[in-house]
Amino acid sequence: IRFKKGEDTYGQDGDIASTAPESKLFRDVFSIECKHYKDLQLWSMITNTKESLFDFYKQTFRQAKNAKKLPFLIARQNYKPTLVLVPHIVSGYIYYSGVFEPKATFYHKKHTVDVYFYDDLLKMETVEFLRNIQRAKDNLEELLEEVFNNGHV
């Protein structure tokens, strides 16, 4: 409601909001959306035949754009690994050789999205991960321009 009224909603975007100081850096950079469905319609991402995981990503994308942050979708389907979807350009900031590497890349219209396993994210060294997120924050304006205005997502 605050956003629709033009009022500040900082920190209230996405599904995850945190007051813990150690999460501030990550939350300053990413708008996080979470989905858990019986069936994420992964095949539909390829065939574009019905609502799919990509529709959830587009919702995350719109929310992130409104919040002036980068989209970060965490999605889980019953009995399958939890996935993380981010714009391809962001991968250079969260990639961690041998541990956190994209499992797939999807192209849909102007979106290029890398898909990771969430469990791999949890294996990253905290110091290295935070260093990468700080680099993303330092370049946030350029990243936002690239992701939301130039269509290189």
Side-chain angles (χ1 to χ4, degrees), residues 55-122:
D55 293 303
F56 297 134
Y57 177 79
K58 289 187 282 187
Q59 173 193 351
T60 306
F61 182 89
R62 287 188 302 273
Q63 269 179 199
K65 185 175 184 177
N66 289 337
K68 296 184 176 108
K69 295 181 182 181
L70 297 168
F72 192 95
L73 173 61
I74 301 170
R76 182 156 190 260
Q77 177 175 308
N78 288 354
Y79 311 109
K80 303 292 182 199
T82 303
L83 305 174
V84 172
L85 283 76
V86 296
H88 177 70
I89 195 169
V90 174
S91 288
Y93 292 89
I94 60 173
Y95 170 84
Y96 190 67
S97 181
V99 178
F100 195 58
E101 298 177 344
K103 301 302 179 198
T105 301
F106 287 96
Y107 305 91
H108 184 289
K109 298 181 182 172
K110 68 176 186 170
H111 300 279
T112 303
V113 179
D114 286 341
V115 181
Y116 296 84
F117 287 151
Y118 179 78
D119 286 348
D120 291 345
L121 172 69
L122 299 178

Side-chain angles (χ1 to χ4, degrees), residues 39-65:
D39 185 356
L40 288 171
Q41 300 294 332
L42 293 174
W43 183 248
S44 294
M45 286 180 70
I46 298 167
T47 61
N48 203 23
T49 53
K50 61 168 110 170
E51 187 176 81
S52 71
L53 180 58
F54 219 91
D55 293 303
F56 297 134
Y57 177 79
K58 289 187 282 187
Q59 173 193 351
T60 306
F61 182 89
R62 287 188 302 273
Q63 269 179 199
K65 185 175 184 177

Side-chain angles (χ1 to χ4, degrees), residues 10 25-31 67-71 90 93 133-148:
Y10 187 79
L25 177 61
F26 191 80
R27 289 282 302 126
D28 283 350
V29 175
F30 293 102
S31 177
K68 296 184 176 108
K69 295 181 182 181
L70 297 168
V90 174
Y93 292 89
I133 299 305
Q134 183 63 56
R135 280 189 321 114
K137 184 176 182 182
D138 293 345
N139 296 296
L140 191 57
E141 285 186 34
E142 293 85 11
L143 282 168
L144 292 173
E145 176 73 22
E146 191 71 24
V147 168
F148 298 119

